[in-house]
Amino acid sequence: MSDTFFPEKYADRSETVLARTGAVEIDPEQPTSTRAYGTLGPSAPIHAMQIERRALEPDDVAIDILYCGVCHSDIHMVRGEWGEQQYPMVPGHEFVGRVSAVGAAVTRLVPGDHAGVGCMVDSCGVCETCKAGLEQYCTVGATMTYASPDPRGPGQTQGGYAERIVVRDRFVVKIPEGADLATTAPLLCSGVTTFSPMQHWRLGSGQRFAVVGLGGLGHMALKLAVHRGAEATVFTTSADKAADAYAMGAKDVIVWHPLASKPIPLVEELANRFDFILSTIPFPFDAAPFLPLLRHDGVFVNVGTPGAIAGVSGGGLWNQRRSIVGSCIGGMPETQEVVDYCCANGIRPQIELIHPDQITDAYLRVENKAVRYRYVIDLAAGRTG
C-alpha cells in the first residue's frame, strides 16, 4: 500500500518535493479555505474536506504542509478512545512544510524556509512552566495542535492532515537546511516524546535501557538510546520485529506475553538489571512484571498511555528505591533540540510513505501492528493527485 522509505538507503527528497509543489496563492490578511483530511465521527473514515485557516496575525507563520506523520494517538483521538470528542476532526501533530508567509513581527523565519509543527500550537506563555520552555505543562493548559479549543479562531484547532496551517511563531520549529523532510516529520512527536525523558533522567553511556513496545515511539527510543551509548533491550509482543530491533542496535530482544501467567520469560535473570525502562504501551496495562527488573534508583517512565497503570505497590517502589513516573511530549526548546540533534547525527525514523487516500487503511494497519514503523502522509501527492 505504500512506498517503504528506509532513510539509510535513500537520498534527501526535499528537492523532488519542491519540484512537485508550487506555492499556493493566498491573501495572508484573510481567512483561507484549505483541503484537509479528517473525519465526521468516531466510526467514520478519514476523507477529504475543506477547513478554514485564520488570517495571519503579527506573530503567525503560514506553512504549506508537505509531510505529516500518523501517530497512534491520532487513532485513539479519532475513535474517541481518550474521551468524548468534537467533530469534524482533522488529526495530525507531527508535520513539516514550507513557510509561505509570516506576520509582521516574525523575524526567525522567512517565506521559503522549511518548518515543522509538533503537538502544541499555543500556551499561556506567562506561567512558570511556559517561561521555562516547558509549554506542554502549561498550568493554564496548552493548546494542542488539534481537538483543542482554539484561542485564535472559532471552534477547535485542526491538525496537520491538511495542505496549509497558520501557527504562532513560538510553536514553529525551524528545520535544518538539507534535512530529509519526510523522515523529519515524526521527530516532532515520536522523536521529542522519547528524547525528553532521556534528557531529564540523563540516560547516558553504559546505562542499561529497555523500551517496551517497538512501534512509532519505541523504535525512535531505541535509536536514540543506542546513539547515547546505552545498552538497549527491546520488549515486544511481536516476534517478527526482533530482526529489525537488532538491526537498529538492540543488544537483546525479549518477546513478552501480557496475558500470560508469567508475562516475561527469564524474569529471574533480568531482576535488578535496568537503569531506565520506557513504556510506549498506548492503553492501560499492568506494570508489575517490569518493576522488579529495575535496579537501585531505576526509573520506569510511561510515555504511552493516559489510562490506568495497574500493579504498582508502595512496597514494590520501596524495594531498591524504584520510581514510576510519566513524561509528556516536550517543550518548544527541546523540540527544536531533538530535530537539530537527529538531523546532525543522521538519526531518522523508519517510515512508510502513503497518499492521503490511504489514511483509513493505514489506521487499521497501525492497530494490527503491521506498520514499519511510522506512516507519513505525502500531502504533496494529495495536491498533485
Side-chain angles (χ1 to χ4, degrees):
M1 65 167 289
S2 60
D3 174 10
T4 303
F5 178 44
F6 291 94
E8 292 81 359
K9 299 180 182 179
Y10 292 85
D12 175 34
R13 294 184 169 206
S14 58
E15 292 304 318
T16 303
V17 171
L18 292 175
R20 285 195 288 144
T21 58
V24 179
E25 293 294 333
I26 62 162
D27 180 357
E29 303 300 322
Q30 300 294 326
T32 57
S33 178
T34 189
R35 181 160 52 176
Y37 302 89
T39 183
L40 298 177
S43 59
I46 302 291
H47 67 280
M49 59 177 63
Q50 293 294 124
I51 61 172
E52 187 175 273
R53 297 301 195 189
R54 67 173 183 262
L56 213 62
E57 296 190 20
D59 61 345
D60 277 341
V61 176
I63 301 171
D64 292 334
I65 301 171
L66 299 174
Y67 295 106
C68 182
V70 175
C71 181
H72 203 154
S73 62
D74 295 342
I75 302 172
H76 291 299
M77 290 291 289
V78 163
R79 303 273 191 262
E81 295 168 351
W82 285 356
E84 187 176 350
Q85 302 297 327
Q86 294 183 25
Y87 301 91
M89 179 192 295
V90 175
H93 58 208
E94 50 178 44
F95 51 91
V96 298
R98 187 174 55 237
V99 175
S100 58
V102 299
V106 175
T107 59
R108 192 169 60 91
L109 294 158
V110 298
D113 283 347
H114 288 142
V117 177
C119 300
M120 301 174 290
V121 291
D122 214 336
S123 71
C124 80
V126 297
C127 71
E128 182 179 357
T129 52
C130 283
K131 288 181 177 178
L134 298 169
E135 297 90 347
Q136 77 273 35
Y137 302 124
C138 175
T139 56
V140 176
T143 300
M144 309 315 286
T145 305
Y146 66 90
S148 273
D150 190 348
R152 293 195 167 196
Q156 67 177 13
T157 56
Q158 303 289 1
Y161 293 11
E163 295 183 354
R164 183 175 180 270
I165 196 168
V166 176
V167 185
R168 283 186 65 188
D169 167 66
R170 177 176 175 176
F171 291 86
V172 176
V173 170
K174 190 167 185 177
I175 305 302
E177 186 176 351
D180 181 85
L181 301 182
T183 56
T184 299
L187 301 179
L188 279 301
C189 173
S190 63
V192 73
T193 299
T194 52
F195 180 80
S196 183
M198 293 181 188
Q199 291 288 89
H200 183 74
W201 281 281
R202 297 179 179 148
L203 178 68
S205 179
Q207 290 188 300
R208 289 177 172 175
F209 168 84
V211 60
V212 185
L214 192 68
L217 289 175
H219 92 289
M220 277 305 305
L222 173 59
K223 289 191 172 195
L224 287 166
V226 169
H227 193 268
R228 296 168 82 101
E231 180 185 292
T233 295
V234 172
F235 288 88
T236 178
T237 58
S238 303
D240 61 345
K241 291 183 178 180
D244 287 348
Y246 285 122
M248 294 180 207
K251 185 178 190 303
D252 293 304
V253 178
I254 297 169
V255 179
W256 71 295
H257 308 278
L259 301 181
S261 58
K262 186 178 180 180
I264 299 175
L266 306 175
V267 66
E268 294 81 7
E269 291 87 338
L270 294 171
N272 302 300
R273 177 178 179 82
F274 297 107
D275 299 282
F276 190 129
I277 299 176
L278 185 77
S279 171
T280 69
I281 301 171
F283 42 77
F285 67 96
D286 186 355
F290 293 98
L291 295 185
L293 310 188
L294 291 171
R295 66 179 297 277
H296 170 68
D297 282 338
V299 60
F300 181 99
V301 183
N302 166 54
V303 297
T305 183
I309 298 176
V312 181
S313 66
L317 300 181
W318 286 348
N319 190 3
Q320 301 302 318
R321 199 162 64 189
R322 298 171 174 126
S323 300
I324 182 165
V325 298
S327 179
C328 180
I329 55 176
M332 294 315 301
E334 206 162 47
T335 305
Q336 183 69 66
E337 183 180 6
V338 72
V339 168
D340 292 342
Y341 175 81
C342 288
C343 289
N345 291 287
I347 304 169
R348 296 176 173 179
Q350 305 292 106
I351 72 168
E352 294 187 40
L353 282 175
I354 61 172
H355 290 191
D357 61 4
Q358 296 174 300
I359 297 171
T360 296
D361 188 36
Y363 275 19
L364 297 175
R365 291 173 63 83
V366 170
E367 292 174 315
N368 291 327
K369 303 181 181 180
V371 59
R372 297 294 189 271
Y373 281 89
R374 197 66 149 188
Y375 283 125
V376 173
I377 307 163
D378 183 351
L379 275 309
R383 289 185 179 90
T384 59

